Amino acid sequence: MDRLAPLQLFVAAADAGSFSAAARRLDVGAVQASATIARLERELGVRLFERSTRRLRLTDAGEQWLPHARQTLAAWDDGQAALRSAAGDAQPLQGRLRISLPSDLGRQHLWRWIEEFAAGEAGAGLQLELRISDRIADLVHDPVDFGVRYGEPPDSGLVALPLAPDNRRVLCASPAYVARHGQPQTPADLARHDCLRFVLGDSLHGRWRFTSAEGETVAIETAGHRIADDGGLVREWALAGLGLAYKSRLDVAGDLAAGRLVPLLPGWLGEPAPLHWMAVGRHRMTPALRRLAAELRRRCGQL
């Protein structure tokens, strides 16, 4: 393991272009990371990185060695996967589990479902680290191993297991808001309503799309007095009667069932918002983690 740690750090630094980012990814100190790479360079007798105040880049020797380092780590991961497979599907959830969760669904449901699953797996030694935020975590560079994400999986090396493939957004508001302002009858009517908008990353999700029963899709540019980068706050604003929200149905399922929010535009379908469990590489998807993903999918179906 001591021999693999410098390789892991080298590959992480090459991917991130930064010792500090690689250190965060592997949960080590930045000074320790730099010293480890320096020792590795002395051992190999070559310089692996060109360092400057602005950037970190591989030398020619580093470029040559990178695929061999990746191959060594991949072989180690494949060996671990083979051992886990030989141990059978009954191996419990264990070790450190670092997961990025969307804020609203994460706080309402996901953290509790994960805890209940871990308790049933007798995962007393499980180390659970949850990052609850609507900022999309970079599973390669950030210090997380898995992510639960809305939207279609990117075309990349990520492995995605569907948790709620048919989930969609739903336009909704509180009964108090509807009583004061009435219900929109068509998407075009949103221009006369206060819409609660959401920022994801650097982009404002203010263009809302709907599909009619005949298959016609329209996109409406919305406006309103409130914008948030947290889906949970948008839901709280809607519950307080401050405007219309365009939320994942999973996020507001309980509020709709209890009548705290009412669905609007019943003749129109909201945008697709599929939910996935994501990881970098199939070797991370142990039998226990596949069981966890299956349980989350079952819970989402119930919700």
Side-chain angles (χ1 to χ4, degrees):
M1 294 300 293
D2 289 342
R3 303 291 291 175
L4 285 174
L7 286 184
Q8 292 172 325
L9 189 57
F10 166 68
V11 171
D15 289 339
S18 163
F19 286 151
S20 57
R24 288 193 299 272
R25 176 73 182 83
L26 297 177
D27 198 21
V28 299
V31 174
Q32 178 186 347
S34 181
T36 299
I37 293 296
R39 286 196 302 271
L40 181 62
E41 288 176 325
R42 287 196 299 270
E43 182 176 341
L44 294 173
V46 295
R47 195 170 182 82
L48 298 173
F49 292 99
E50 293 290 352
R51 301 157 173 83
S52 72
T53 55
R54 292 188 175 183
R55 60 176 301 187
L56 181 75
R57 67 178 183 85
L58 288 169
T59 62
D60 290 342
E63 292 280 4
Q64 289 179 343
W65 201 54
L66 181 59
H68 298 287
R70 291 192 193 280
Q71 186 177 13
T72 300
L73 293 175
W76 174 261
D77 289 336
D78 289 344
Q80 286 184 307
L83 289 175
R84 285 192 295 263
S85 178
D89 290 346
Q91 188 174 25
L93 196 64
Q94 57 189 1
R96 183 171 62 173
L97 195 60
R98 304 186 296 184
I99 316 172
S100 170
L101 303 176
S103 68
D104 201 359
L105 190 65
R107 289 190 179 94
Q108 287 192 77
H109 302 291
L110 289 173
W111 77 267
R112 187 175 291 108
W113 295 346
I114 294 170
E115 291 283 2
E116 291 173 357
F117 177 84
E121 289 265 306
L126 179 69
Q127 300 177 45
L128 192 60
E129 295 183 22
L130 300 183
R131 310 293 174 99
I132 298 184
S133 170
D134 284 321
R135 185 185 70 83
I136 297 178
D138 186 326
L139 298 185
V140 175
H141 298 151
D142 291 346
V144 293
D145 302 310
F146 306 96
V148 176
R149 294 183 181 173
Y150 281 116
E152 293 296 336
D155 183 14
S156 69
L158 296 180
V159 177
L161 300 181
L163 302 181
D166 300 323
N167 184 56
R168 287 181 174 269
R169 291 186 178 275
V170 58
L171 185 71
C172 55
S174 71
Y177 179 91
V178 172
R180 290 195 308 271
H181 302 283
Q183 292 194 31
Q185 301 302 309
T186 69
D189 292 342
L190 296 185
R192 298 193 293 273
H193 285 269
D194 205 339
C195 295
L196 305 169
R197 293 170 296 165
F198 176 68
V199 172
L200 182 60
D202 296 325
S203 301
L204 172 65
H205 186 244
R207 190 173 178 83
W208 297 356
R209 293 174 174 81
F210 302 88
T211 302
S212 70
E214 295 75 28
E216 175 195 6
T217 298
V218 298
I220 302 297
E221 199 67 47
T222 58
H225 293 92
R226 290 169 181 82
I227 297 172
D229 65 353
D230 183 283
L233 179 55
V234 170
R235 184 172 60 87
E236 291 295 335
W237 280 343
L239 290 168
L242 299 176
L244 305 182
Y246 196 36
K247 291 282 293 174
S248 158
R249 187 172 285 275
L250 287 171
D251 290 352
V252 295
D255 300 314
L256 293 173
R260 294 185 293 268
L261 295 174
V262 295
L264 306 173
L265 296 181
W268 294 80
L269 282 176
E271 298 174 14
L275 189 71
H276 294 86
W277 175 276
M278 308 196 76
V280 179
R282 295 189 180 278
H283 64 278
R284 291 191 179 276
M285 300 306 297
T286 66
L289 285 168
R290 289 185 180 276
R291 290 197 302 273
L292 172 57
E295 174 63 10
L296 295 182
R297 177 167 181 155
R298 186 185 71 84
R299 295 285 195 126
C300 286
Q302 288 180 334
L303 189 60

